[in-house]
Amino acid sequence: MQVIKVENLHKSFSDLHVLKGINREIKKGEVVVVIGPSGSGKSTFLRCLNLLEEPNDGKILYNGVNIVDKKNDINKYREKMGMVFQQFNLFPHMTVLENIMLAPMQIKNMNRNDAMKIAMDLLNTVGLSEKAETYPNKLSGGQKQRIAIARALAMQPEVMLFDEPTSALDPEMVGEVLDVIKKLAAQGMTMVVVTHEMGFAREVGDRVIFMDEGRIVEEEAPEVLFKSPQNPRTQDFLGKIL
Ligand code: ADP
Ligand code: MG
């Protein structure tokens, strides 16, 4: 069953044509890894999926509903897609627990007790229960990113979008963040992950999409794409990073 279906998605920033007709289905429980050179449109693609950017053309069907269509309530669909960025964007003046509780209380009108229960469960999931009352500036980068993941999960999304979640981290902290994402994959979360972590892509990706110049150039199961890429541009890219 597909959760998201993208049809002929185009996005331009004034005269810069960034996404040039993306077509893709994302099935329930699938982990889709997106790779490609800097500037190829990976972030723009993710940001269009949850309508942080407004597409210029095409459709994004979410459980069959075209969410690009203005007559649908964008916010309702945005809530179903949690997003985690390279920069953690935690609120510095709030404790870890308050950071996680904020959106459920403000956006979903959840009461404080329920929000706290969810937040504590999620802190447990990301292995940071003991940091509930800590402020973000006392956390390492890896811990901050695990909190950012917990915060996104607090809205109980159906889909998680990760945009290079480990790119801003020191190498020794990459593993702890990837472990949390792996755990989510094992629990059946539907995810789209932009990453340069090829080991991770091989291990948890159901499919790998290679993007270049605003198009999906090649997509395959990871063991196929990494072993025998067909497109010369995929070969060139993988040759540089592997
Ligand atoms: P990637 O994530 O693959 O590195 P991006 O989607 O961030 O690529 O960017 C694709 C292209 O779109 C780049 O040329 C970038 O400079 C441009 N771009 C991205 N966001 C904006 C924006 N808000 N305004 C103008 N240009 C943008
Ligand atoms: Mg990017």
Side-chain angles (χ1 to χ4, degrees), residues 13 16 18 36-45 53 163-164 194:
F13 296 105
L16 182 67
V18 175
S38 179
S40 56
K42 305 180 298 298
S43 294
T44 304
F45 175 48
E53 300 289 355
D163 193 359
E164 301 199 30
V194 177

Side-chain angles (χ1 to χ4, degrees):
M1 193 180 85
Q2 84 211 10
V3 182
I4 298 175
K5 185 167 190 213
V6 177
E7 290 179 7
N8 192 33
L9 181 67
H10 285 263
K11 176 65 187 172
S12 299
F13 296 105
S14 53
D15 56 0
L16 182 67
H17 196 178
V18 175
L19 298 181
K20 299 169 183 165
I22 302 280
N23 294 284
R24 177 67 184 126
E25 288 178 17
I26 296 156
K27 298 192 190 78
K28 193 165 174 53
E30 194 175 29
V31 180
V32 176
V33 173
V34 182
I35 62 171
S38 179
S40 56
K42 305 180 298 298
S43 294
T44 304
F45 175 48
L46 277 200
R47 293 169 63 82
C48 281
L49 283 183
N50 73 348
L51 302 174
L52 282 175
E53 300 289 355
E54 191 183 340
N56 296 93
D57 199 7
K59 289 183 183 169
I60 299 170
L61 301 172
Y62 190 87
N63 290 326
V65 178
N66 182 16
I67 60 175
V68 177
D69 189 334
K70 292 260 188 339
K71 74 178 193 300
N72 292 310
D73 177 5
I74 286 180
N75 289 324
K76 196 172 106 195
Y77 293 99
R78 232 182 235 147
E79 285 172 23
K80 295 177 192 288
M81 289 180 255
M83 186 146 179
V84 174
F85 304 87
Q86 186 173 334
Q87 299 301 335
F88 328 113
N89 306 320
L90 298 176
F91 299 110
H93 59 290
M94 294 181 182
T95 65
V96 158
L97 197 62
E98 288 165 348
N99 263 279
I100 302 173
M101 289 166 61
L102 184 70
M105 288 175 66
Q106 285 204 338
I107 298 171
K108 283 192 165 175
N109 291 320
M110 198 179 280
N111 71 51
R112 209 178 157 76
N113 280 342
D114 290 349
M116 191 175 296
K117 188 177 177 312
I118 287 177
M120 290 306 299
D121 281 349
L122 287 169
L123 280 175
N124 190 34
T125 303
V126 302
L128 290 170
S129 300
E130 77 286 1
K131 300 291 185 192
E133 300 303 329
T134 304
Y135 284 85
N137 65 359
K138 296 281 189 289
L139 300 175
S140 71
Q143 290 171 336
K144 281 182 199 164
Q145 192 60 303
R146 285 148 71 196
I147 298 302
I149 294 171
R151 185 177 57 174
L153 290 171
M155 288 296 282
Q156 299 172 306
E158 290 176 2
V159 178
M160 284 287 283
L161 308 174
F162 291 90
D163 193 359
E164 301 199 30
T166 61
S167 295
L169 300 175
D170 291 334
E172 73 271 21
M173 294 170 186
V174 169
E176 67 191 66
V177 172
L178 293 181
D179 283 347
V180 170
I181 303 175
K182 283 180 203 168
K183 199 163 158 182
L184 293 177
Q187 290 168 0
M189 178 63 84
T190 308
M191 302 197 277
V192 184
V193 187
V194 177
T195 185
H196 298 297
E197 296 292 333
M198 297 302 143
F200 168 84
R202 271 179 218 252
E203 197 180 335
V204 294
D206 293 305
R207 295 187 81 74
V208 178
I209 288 176
F210 173 69
M211 276 184 71
D212 194 29
E213 297 181 2
R215 293 191 174 86
I216 294 177
V217 170
E218 190 164 355
E219 68 173 283
E220 270 298 350
E223 60 274 19
V224 178
L225 189 99
F226 292 125
K227 199 166 158 214
S228 45
Q230 298 300 306
N231 189 290
R233 287 187 283 171
T234 321
Q235 292 167 358
D236 182 53
F237 177 77
L238 291 176
K240 283 177 188 147
I241 62 161
L242 288 180

